[in-house]
Amino acid sequence: MSREAYQIPTSQGAGGPGAGNAAVAGRAVDNEGLPMLYICGDCGTKFPLKRGDTIRCIECGCRVLYKERTRRMVQFEAR
Amino acid sequence: MAPSSGRVPEPESRKTVGINKETVSNTVSTDFPDNYPDGDESWDKDWFAQNLKIEFHQNDDYEAQFSLIGVDASIANAFRRILIAEIPTLAVETVFIQNNTSVVQDEVLSHRLGLIPFTGGKEGIRDWMKWWHKPVEGADQYSTTYDHNTVQLKLQVECTHNKDAAPDEKDPTKLYHNAHVYAKDIVYEPAGAQEQYFSGDNIIRPTNPDILIAKMRPGQVIDLEMHMHKGIGADHSKFSPVATASYRLMPVIKILKPILGDDAKKFQECFMPGTIKLEKVTKQHVKANKEYAGHEGEVMAAVDNPLYDTVSREVLRHPEFEGKVKLGRKRDHFIFSIESTGQWESDELFLESIKTLKTKSQKLQTQVQNMVYTYSG
Ligand SMILES: [Zn+2]
């Protein structure tokens, strides 16, 4: 499977309350459609990288890049 | 039941805890039947009603101090424990973190959010809001989540550079937007029928808007949602409606022999301000106590308001007061102090604790009756 075709698995499916009790809205998964941005380890600029691009900051040329934190929802108990 | 007519009150000496130089004596209550040859100490409803007193010293919205006089320590303590652990409030229970790039870890952030006290429409929170139950294993995560048991909150903040800041600005709160994330940044999201209970002045909001949740720097983001549920302090202290609910016993200061002149001033300074007053010895004093004879016009120490005393026992350290003063505490006089976290008013909390104890007693009553029916054949 190519990297682009990979789908992030979602365990809770639609992630909303069951039918008939839609009073409280569920959680929407909205991590699709956003370009993958990389963060420069030196200057902090965020910029997109395509396949085959050199791993290098477009602003300062730093070769250390970080991925952004995932936008996938993480659930915690407030305890 | 004992007849209440002709019953005499328990002598003060039996109701006083002795505070001595190195010991505390008479700590246990003795007002139970057959303990003393004189008088009847059995519990009597009318007698109790006659002798029970509640006096408020301070009654602000979220801070109350009052005296509860004429009950046993077990009852006063029951109220205290109910106040802390059994009166329900709303608190953040689940946090859904979409993004958090601040330096505060998700778990720590969630814990902090849980401890923030919230307030809102009383009718909605107390009567309309019901308990939330965890869905059964295998059921949908939100199958038990309704508008009448869940309150949704949102916290979405991003820290950015402030273009208008002075070039030599050093203060992060001026240099950046949202450098500090406060409780007031939390937004309530009404759902379903909540609008009619939690709108206008009744909106769900943090009691203290200036609680600092996290500090951020440009580029950092917090994006999360929260679900609040009803709970009790016994489950987690974030649900406790009080910051403190405590009591102490009323101090007793008995001046046994005259304390005059400079000694009186020193005596006054051994106690908290307002506890001891300085008076001139008058003819009445001499008439009432022969020991004052010949000291008319001199300054003497007298007890003003023992409520303020902390019972530090400082006075017992000085040899000049030896045998002149007796310290103690009234065993059936409880000075309650209730500080609310905002969902209830302090005096309402005390009434609610009485209601809770009553409900519990009624449940116990039916169980005792069942027990009697079962074992009496
Ligand atoms: Zn760079």
Side-chain angles (χ1 to χ4, degrees):
Chain A
M1 189 164 75
S2 75
R3 211 165 42 156
E4 283 72 24
Y6 176 72
Q7 290 286 311
I8 298 163
T10 48
S11 55
Q12 66 260 25
N21 54 36
V24 174
R27 307 286 314 173
V29 183
D30 62 355
N31 47 0
E32 316 296 328
L34 288 169
M36 178 60 86
L37 291 177
Y38 291 83
I39 304 157
C40 172
D42 198 17
C43 70
T45 318
K46 286 181 189 173
F47 59 95
L49 267 188
K50 286 190 291 293
R51 199 147 58 113
D53 286 354
T54 47
I55 299 169
R56 208 149 188 213
C57 173
I58 52 167
E59 292 289 335
C60 69
C62 172
R63 289 182 185 278
V64 177
L65 300 182
Y66 295 104
K67 265 191 167 139
E68 277 196 302
R69 178 190 161 141
T70 173
R71 293 289 181 109
R72 277 175 71 194
M73 187 271 284
V74 211
Q75 186 178 334
F76 289 94
E77 272 190 334
R79 275 166 192 262
Chain B
M1 277 289 144
S4 53
S5 56
R7 185 168 171 169
V8 289
E10 209 186 359
E12 282 300 321
S13 61
R14 286 181 193 170
K15 294 200 289 188
T16 310
V17 176
I19 309 278
N20 315 312
K21 196 172 179 184
E22 267 126 14
T23 57
V24 177
S25 54
N26 268 324
T27 53
V28 184
S29 36
T30 53
D31 52 339
F32 49 86
D34 299 334
N35 193 33
Y36 293 109
D38 58 331
D40 183 5
E41 299 286 359
S42 60
W43 199 81
D44 179 76
K45 194 179 153 201
D46 296 329
W47 180 254
F48 175 76
Q50 265 175 49
N51 288 283
L52 179 74
K53 258 188 281 175
I54 294 174
E55 290 163 10
F56 270 87
H57 307 302
Q58 179 195 0
N59 192 7
D60 300 334
D61 281 0
Y62 302 132
E63 177 94 63
Q65 254 202 58
F66 59 89
S67 286
L68 176 64
I69 309 160
V71 297
D72 191 72
S74 54
I75 305 295
N77 195 43
F79 288 140
R80 185 189 64 86
R81 291 185 59 158
I82 288 168
L83 282 165
I84 292 169
E86 287 177 55
I87 295 174
T89 66
L90 267 184
V92 172
E93 176 68 349
T94 327
V95 182
F96 305 93
I97 299 185
Q98 204 85 255
N99 200 3
N100 167 31
T101 50
S102 75
V103 290
V104 186
Q105 297 92 328
D106 290 8
E107 293 88 338
V108 178
L109 184 65
S110 303
H111 179 237
R112 288 177 72 77
L113 291 166
L115 293 171
I116 298 169
F118 281 83
T119 185
K122 284 176 186 172
E123 191 203 346
I125 293 176
R126 287 177 210 171
D127 305 329
W128 182 67
M129 292 283 291
K130 303 283 179 289
W131 300 98
W132 177 85
H133 299 283
K134 226 181 176 134
V136 290
E137 198 79 31
D140 183 87
Q141 211 203 134
Y142 302 98
S143 59
T144 58
T145 300
Y146 298 94
D147 57 347
H148 63 258
N149 64 15
T150 306
V151 168
Q152 285 187 115
L153 303 169
K154 216 173 211 173
L155 176 62
Q156 285 178 320
V157 274
E158 183 175 3
C159 184
T160 50
H161 283 282
N162 182 8
K163 297 276 187 294
D164 303 326
D168 59 341
E169 185 61 66
K170 289 272 160 49
D171 183 0
T173 55
K174 289 173 188 150
L175 205 49
Y176 316 122
H177 296 294
N178 291 324
H180 291 179
V181 183
Y182 292 105
K184 58 178 166 248
D185 297 322
I186 297 172
V187 184
Y188 164 59
E189 305 229 293
Q194 284 176 8
E195 200 92 59
Q196 64 188 95
Y197 294 100
F198 305 130
S199 54
D201 286 347
N202 290 333
I203 195 165
I204 302 278
R205 62 192 184 276
T207 315
N208 313 98
D210 292 328
I211 294 176
L212 183 66
I213 300 170
K215 291 188 180 182
M216 298 204 294
R217 286 297 175 265
Q220 298 183 343
V221 184
I222 291 176
D223 176 9
L224 53 85
E225 276 176 47
M226 291 167 265
H227 281 186
M228 295 172 90
H229 300 302
K230 257 185 166 180
I232 57 167
D235 176 35
H236 193 288
S237 57
K238 69 184 174 187
F239 292 118
S240 186
V242 291
T244 53
S246 61
Y247 59 74
R248 60 198 176 98
L249 294 178
M250 182 67 158
V252 178
I253 302 160
K254 262 195 188 149
I255 296 173
L256 306 171
K257 282 180 185 160
I259 299 165
L260 302 159
D262 287 342
D263 269 5
K265 283 189 191 113
K266 188 177 178 185
F267 186 80
Q268 188 183 36
E269 278 164 15
C270 288
F271 296 91
M272 292 305 278
T275 313
I276 302 293
K277 61 187 169 187
L278 298 178
E279 284 179 342
K280 285 259 157 66
V281 180
T282 60
K283 278 196 180 108
Q284 275 82 11
H285 288 122
V286 179
K287 214 183 241 179
N289 189 344
K290 280 197 188 83
E291 287 177 286
Y292 285 108
H295 295 290
E296 220 178 297
E298 279 181 48
V299 174
M300 61 170 261
V303 178
D304 191 5
N305 194 348
L307 179 79
Y308 300 130
D309 190 29
T310 54
V311 198
S312 65
R313 295 194 244 191
E314 169 68 16
V315 70
L316 302 178
R317 297 177 64 233
H318 303 280
E320 58 264 54
F321 302 129
E322 213 166 279
K324 289 189 175 176
V325 63
K326 178 99 187 77
L327 299 184
R329 303 195 100 137
K330 282 187 192 161
R331 201 188 291 122
D332 65 344
H333 185 142
F334 299 90
I335 305 160
F336 262 88
S337 163
I338 301 176
E339 185 188 339
S340 166
T341 53
Q343 237 167 78
W344 299 74
E345 269 153 40
S346 283
D347 51 349
E348 290 176 327
L349 275 170
F350 182 60
L351 295 179
E352 188 66 18
S353 74
I354 298 170
K355 207 165 121 190
T356 308
L357 185 63
K358 195 173 171 184
T359 315
K360 288 168 83 122
S361 311
Q362 282 162 345
K363 268 185 203 158
L364 181 70
Q365 189 181 24
T366 52
Q367 296 198 5
V368 170
Q369 280 164 352
N370 285 343
M371 191 178 74
V372 171
Y373 294 146
T374 311
Y375 293 106
S376 59

